[in-house]
Amino acid sequence: MADELTPAVPDDAATAAVPETESEEPIKKRKNGLYPGVSDELAENMKSGWADTELHDLRPIAQAAETAARRAALSARFPGERLVIPAGNLKTRSNDTEYAFRASVEYAYLTGNQTEDGVLVLEPVADGHKATIYLLPRSDRENGEFWLSGQGELWVGRRHSLAEAAQLHGIPAADVRELAATLREATGPVRVVRGYDAAIEAALTDKVTAERDAELRVFLSEARLVKDEFEIGELQKAVDSTVRGFEDVVRVLDKAQATSERYIEGTFFLRARVEGNDVGYGTIAAAGPHACTLHWVRNDGPVRAGDLLLLDAGVETHTYYTADVTRTLPIDGRFTEIQKKIYDAVYDAQEAGIAAVAPGGKYRDFHDAAQRVLAERIVEWGLVEGPVERVLELGLQRRWTLHGTGHMLGMDVHDCAAARVESYVDGTLEPGMVLTVEPGLYFQADDLTVPQEYRGIGVRIEDDILVTEDGNRNLSAALPRQSDEVESWMASLKG
């Protein structure tokens, strides 16, 4: 990549092009000697000769109606209060490079915008709230920001003007650089979503409380428990791309055997980047005993025929909705007898869990149903003494089942995490909720309480389930789950 850090030059030459009052970031860097000398002639030359690239007649983003409805619901919940929802800022990866930016879920959910430093403000008015989206405007060509700042448009690409942003998102737009001063002068009750923008929080230090701000975050988390039609469509897109990503992986398992788990990770990532925004979370490509490590993301181990591959991966769409799917696959295409025995037990547990997903049912029902099946198998195999009720009461199956059987899914892979217990895990399922059902059995390689043949085998099967009016729909049903169907599917792809 091009290097903006060029040899140091005298301060007077480095600062010639830009008045200090107009663009602090370029000035700060040049005073440190990080920019080359800029002559008056070059500075003048760079100000002019640029075509007008303002975009007109832009269509609103696809979810503009949905984001407006979400803002209206937020307004109704907190009448008379100023609400501040930041997107967040760039984070340094190393030295002068940044991580790829992902806007806060709360901000993206309410605006559809994904640019760094953005802030949504809902200002109370007589009949509700006036929404304004505060953004960085186009880079200033007059003061040289666009080519002298490391975040100028010549370096990182064009950004939308404020007028363009207003057309796209259906929200009046203003310059975010003026917002902190405005917030410092604000009166009346204010709430802010914390943890994303330190400068905005600092401007509100004496105006907010942790308890009130937590209430705002909880409301926005619980608002996402039930998905609208746009969200369900995006989740289906994410799942469909994920299915194709799993097919990609099966087709190259022979190449992965010649390299490592990272070949699998990279293969899936290609699909995620071509069809979506990114992966929704770090891909788990766990072969052999690594499948017993729940969040194995190092993906640096060998891929061997005769072992199982536990692939837990999801594509994230351009609107941030992510799939979350797991399949456990025999690397050479055929389950061994003991692998099939364990796999089929997990499949039966998942079937019981999915069957328990229905409107009006308790959220915990699918977990309890899946755990009961796994406990029955563990007792049947003689790994623990029954009866099953005793095992479940004491949680003895958890040595090998380890985790909960699912979670809400949406713009976060573990969506709605700030929701209250009574609204989420102790709540009732409603049409429009989307959750994962993902039981597993994991027999650690060093677990002396199980027979040798079990050790090092880990199996998880995970699907994304939509609660419907009359039951549920498996969004990821296109990926085979039964052991014999998995073998046939793999054979057809390797064909």
Side-chain angles (χ1 to χ4, degrees):
M1 63 186 294
D3 181 6
E4 66 173 287
L5 302 184
T6 51
V9 293
D11 282 350
D12 55 347
T15 58
V18 186
E20 290 193 21
T21 56
E22 292 189 32
S23 182
E24 295 180 1
E25 178 66 14
I27 288 296
K28 183 175 80 171
K29 288 193 173 182
R30 280 193 302 284
K31 281 188 173 180
N32 288 332
L34 300 179
Y35 285 108
V38 177
S39 66
D40 291 344
E41 289 80 359
L42 176 59
E44 283 301 313
N45 178 276
M46 291 296 286
K47 290 180 182 179
S48 60
W50 305 102
D52 179 9
T53 61
E54 185 75 7
L55 304 176
H56 302 283
D57 300 321
L58 292 172
R59 294 184 178 182
I61 58 173
Q63 69 269 43
E66 284 79 11
T67 56
R70 297 165 193 167
R71 293 192 299 275
L74 176 61
S75 172
R77 171 62 180 81
F78 298 104
E81 303 185 48
R82 181 176 278 101
L83 309 173
V84 182
I85 301 94
N89 317 122
L90 289 171
K91 291 182 172 58
T92 299
R93 181 181 186 274
S94 176
N95 190 25
D96 61 343
T97 60
E98 290 84 24
Y99 286 104
F101 179 74
R102 190 183 191 277
S104 74
V105 165
E106 294 86 354
Y107 175 85
Y109 178 75
L110 293 167
T111 67
N113 182 264
Q114 299 177 7
T115 55
E116 65 269 18
D117 302 323
V119 184
L120 173 67
V121 177
L122 271 63
E123 182 178 355
V125 293
D127 57 349
H129 284 84
K130 175 187 175 183
T132 304
I133 187 171
Y134 288 84
L135 302 165
L136 287 172
R138 294 288 309 279
S139 287
D140 194 327
R141 296 184 187 272
E142 183 65 25
N143 70 4
E145 176 201 355
F146 86 102
W147 66 290
L148 289 170
S149 168
Q151 291 301 317
E153 291 183 7
L154 186 146
W155 286 97
V156 299
R158 185 187 189 278
R159 55 184 177 245
H160 286 297
S161 71
L162 298 181
E164 291 168 355
Q167 288 184 64
L168 285 169
H169 303 290
I171 313 171
D175 191 336
V176 72
R177 294 173 299 187
E178 302 168 0
L179 179 58
T182 300
L183 293 177
R184 279 192 288 270
E185 298 172 1
T187 59
V190 183
R191 297 178 192 257
V192 63
V193 177
R194 300 192 183 201
Y196 297 119
D197 194 318
I200 294 299
E201 290 180 38
L204 295 169
T205 297
D206 59 350
K207 304 177 189 297
V208 296
T209 67
E211 181 180 1
R212 287 164 50 78
D213 293 346
E215 289 174 352
L216 173 59
R217 185 184 287 275
V218 166
F219 174 81
L220 290 172
S221 194
E222 293 184 0
R224 302 198 307 276
L225 283 168
V226 176
K227 271 58 180 179
D228 57 40
E229 287 303 314
F230 176 84
E231 293 178 288
I232 293 168
E234 289 299 292
L235 285 166
Q236 187 65 68
K237 280 186 198 174
V239 168
D240 292 345
S241 289
T242 298
V243 169
R244 290 188 283 274
F246 273 70
E247 292 171 346
D248 295 339
V249 167
V250 171
R251 290 188 179 102
V252 300
L253 280 177
D254 56 337
K255 295 182 176 64
Q257 290 181 65
T259 52
S260 77
E261 295 162 337
R262 292 199 174 175
Y263 201 97
I264 294 166
E265 176 187 353
T267 298
F268 187 85
F269 181 69
L270 177 61
R271 178 66 64 174
R273 286 293 280 166
V274 167
E275 295 191 0
N277 178 56
D278 205 332
V279 290
Y281 53 94
T283 296
I284 298 169
H290 288 163
C292 299
T293 301
L294 296 183
H295 289 168
W296 177 260
V297 293
R298 299 179 203 171
N299 299 337
D300 59 359
V303 179
R304 299 189 180 99
D307 282 346
L308 296 177
L309 166 68
L310 190 157
L311 178 59
D312 185 336
V315 172
E316 177 186 83
T317 67
H318 293 291
T319 55
Y320 288 174
Y321 290 87
T322 184
D324 183 8
V325 177
T326 305
R327 289 294 184 269
T328 305
L329 310 172
I331 291 167
D332 59 10
R334 302 286 295 181
F335 290 101
T336 67
E337 183 178 348
I338 185 63
Q339 289 169 353
K340 186 176 186 301
K341 173 182 173 180
I342 296 169
Y343 184 95
D344 288 349
V346 175
Y347 171 79
D348 290 344
Q350 194 200 27
E351 281 284 276
I354 293 173
V357 175
K362 295 297 184 183
Y363 173 83
R364 293 181 186 269
D365 287 350
F366 75 93
H367 170 74
D368 293 341
Q371 289 288 299
R372 175 170 291 277
V373 172
L374 295 178
E376 288 170 351
R377 297 303 170 86
I378 289 168
V379 171
E380 177 187 326
W381 298 340
L383 302 185
V384 67
E385 183 180 348
V388 170
E389 294 299 336
R390 168 184 170 274
V391 172
L392 291 170
E393 182 181 353
L394 298 176
L396 302 180
Q397 81 284 359
R398 293 180 60 185
R399 181 182 178 101
W400 303 289
T401 65
L402 298 180
H403 55 79
T405 308
H407 51 80
M408 291 295 179
L409 185 66
M411 297 181 82
D412 279 328
V413 65
H414 297 144
D415 208 26
C416 312
R420 294 167 298 173
V421 170
E422 58 267 31
S423 299
Y424 189 166
V425 295
D426 284 343
T428 300
L429 295 179
E430 300 178 40
M433 290 182 171
V434 180
L435 51 91
T436 67
V437 178
E438 50 177 310
L441 280 174
Y442 311 91
F443 298 105
Q444 306 298 323
D446 59 351
D447 188 348
L448 301 181
T449 70
V450 300
Q452 177 69 44
E453 62 180 353
Y454 287 61
R455 298 176 198 167
I457 295 178
V459 174
R460 181 164 65 252
I461 311 171
E462 176 182 22
D463 285 271
D464 301 341
I465 310 298
L466 167 68
V467 183
T468 62
E469 294 289 344
D470 57 357
N472 67 68
R473 183 169 86 239
N474 186 346
L475 301 180
S476 45
L479 274 181
R481 292 185 297 126
Q482 284 185 299
S483 53
D484 57 344
E485 292 178 351
V486 167
E487 292 178 340
S488 298
W489 169 71
M490 294 182 69
S492 71
L493 292 172
K494 291 181 177 182

